[in-house]
Amino acid sequence: MTKITIRETQNPAILKFEFPEFITQNESFEYKNIDEAKDSPLAQQLFYLPFVKSVYISGNFIAIERYNIVEWDDVKDAVAEQIDSFVNKGGTIITISEKKTQKSPMSVYAESTPNPAVQKFVGSRMMTKTAVEFKNIDEATSSPLAMELFKFPYVKEVFIDENYISITKYAVQEWQDITMELRTFIKGFIENGGTVLDETIAAANPKIEKQKIENFDNLDTTSQQIINILEEYVKPAVQADGGNILFDSYDETEKRVKVVLQGACSGCPSSTFTLKSGIENMLKDMLNDENIKVEAVNA
């Protein structure tokens, strides 16, 4: 008999139903509706429950996001029992087609960034929908790829966004000696079906949770204007340099804007100049307020 373990996540809308063994190998599957779930008979069955919003299958667990019409305490045991019954009757969790088991070719190339300690590795396809930064291996539990990268002794930090990975190195090695090794490793890991990021775990991270749209609606008008300016005018430029910028807070009394710099922008020698001469002046001009100040806080 399969024993399902129910585990809470940092997102109260999402529960994980864990199996004692792996149910997928180096692959993750996310379904937003029953039509998308045609290669998972189990996910299709779960979508018949009216409160199921999305289903995510990876490793040894199934994560389910619910609509707000129910509370998990009222239905979680019944869902676990349904999953358990389905599997013990021989039901198929994932139908892996021959196409899916084949290697999926991918190209990866390296780019330098304004930060000499950071190199940007760009892939030929999307890797993640959620920008994440890891300062050490303990923070990287949501990213099997980042955890593997931290096993290289010269890897100090890892930042992943859209189709690229920015790696910060220790000074012990020069980029010309390690770039090819890292590029080859990243390419092979992804081509062989390795998971770049478990989006379910990453999205529940408090740092990422703070950036969600529903929180935007609760902010004051000036904060909303600042976020829109950062998203439209600043973020594309810093992403091109292998970094990211996030709004942290705005103090109306002090006219102080705090932002989080990630990836290549974090600790970059030119970041202070960029903040003061670029972003601060832009906000002063676009908000018509010469008293605006911008400072970076640690991620």
Side-chain angles (χ1 to χ4, degrees):
M1 292 286 287
T2 300
K3 177 63 176 173
I4 303 294
T5 303
I6 303 171
R7 296 199 187 281
E8 295 181 352
T9 70
Q10 290 178 308
N11 185 336
I14 298 174
L15 267 194
K16 290 174 70 173
F17 298 84
E18 292 187 351
F19 290 73
E21 68 283 323
F22 281 88
I23 54 176
T24 69
Q25 295 297 325
N26 296 323
E27 283 192 285
S28 299
F29 305 86
E30 184 176 18
Y31 310 109
K32 297 296 187 184
N33 55 61
I34 196 168
D35 287 341
E36 290 184 1
K38 53 183 178 293
D39 60 352
S40 174
L42 175 55
Q44 283 192 319
Q45 179 170 312
L46 290 170
F47 276 114
Y48 282 106
L49 300 171
F51 55 83
V52 171
K53 182 178 181 181
S54 65
V55 177
Y56 184 86
I57 302 175
S58 179
N60 70 327
F61 69 88
I62 296 173
I64 300 175
E65 182 178 8
R66 63 167 172 81
Y67 286 107
N68 292 330
I69 57 172
V70 298
E71 295 296 328
W72 272 123
D73 284 344
D74 298 328
V75 297
K76 63 183 181 183
D77 291 330
V79 172
E81 187 177 327
Q82 181 171 328
I83 295 172
D84 190 68
S85 175
F86 179 90
V87 174
N88 286 319
K89 287 179 181 177
T92 301
I93 297 175
I94 293 286
T95 304
I96 302 179
S97 65
E98 185 179 341
K99 181 181 177 182
K100 275 195 173 172
T101 58
Q102 294 174 346
K103 264 193 179 183
S104 180
M106 178 176 183
S107 62
V108 176
Y109 66 90
E111 284 184 357
S112 58
T113 74
N115 187 340
V118 179
Q119 191 95 294
K120 180 180 176 184
F121 295 85
V122 185
S124 56
R125 63 172 182 262
M126 288 286 289
M127 301 179 198
T128 176
K129 296 176 288 185
T130 306
V132 287
E133 183 175 47
F134 307 111
K135 299 290 189 182
N136 54 60
I137 196 168
D138 287 340
E139 292 183 1
T141 52
S142 62
S143 173
L145 173 56
M147 291 189 75
E148 290 299 316
L149 287 170
F150 276 115
K151 293 177 183 177
F152 291 95
Y154 47 76
V155 171
K156 183 180 180 181
E157 297 175 15
V158 177
F159 174 73
I160 307 173
D161 190 13
E162 295 186 350
N163 69 326
Y164 69 89
I165 300 162
S166 289
I167 296 176
T168 306
K169 71 172 181 66
Y170 286 104
V172 68
Q173 290 279 13
E174 297 300 325
W175 281 119
Q176 66 256 29
D177 300 323
I178 59 176
T179 295
M180 181 59 72
E181 181 179 30
L182 288 169
R183 189 181 72 81
T184 303
F185 175 78
I186 293 167
K187 173 179 165 66
F189 182 92
I190 297 173
E191 282 187 338
N192 286 302
T195 300
V196 175
L197 182 70
D198 184 330
E199 302 272 356
T200 307
I201 298 174
N205 184 298
K207 295 177 190 172
I208 295 169
E209 184 82 19
K210 186 176 180 181
Q211 309 300 323
K212 289 188 174 179
I213 298 298
E214 53 260 38
N215 295 326
F216 176 88
D217 295 334
N218 297 326
L219 295 172
D220 60 274
T221 303
T222 304
S223 293
Q224 291 180 343
Q225 289 175 321
I226 292 168
I227 290 173
N228 287 333
I229 292 169
L230 294 177
E231 289 288 325
E232 185 172 353
Y233 298 100
V234 181
K235 185 170 283 191
V238 297
Q239 284 180 324
D241 286 337
N244 192 32
I245 186 168
L246 299 172
F247 172 82
D248 181 81
S249 61
Y250 170 65
D251 186 315
E252 190 171 1
T253 305
E254 297 184 354
K255 304 284 186 177
R256 188 181 307 277
V257 179
K258 292 185 178 181
V259 297
V260 176
L261 297 177
Q262 296 179 317
C265 298
S266 179
C268 178
S270 62
S271 63
T272 302
F273 177 80
T274 301
L275 281 174
K276 295 299 178 184
S277 299
I279 299 169
E280 188 174 288
N281 286 342
M282 180 184 293
L283 290 176
K284 285 179 178 179
D285 183 54
M286 298 185 80
L287 297 174
N288 196 26
D289 189 339
E290 284 298 316
N291 296 313
I292 291 282
K293 298 181 286 288
V294 178
E295 67 180 46
V297 297
N298 290 333

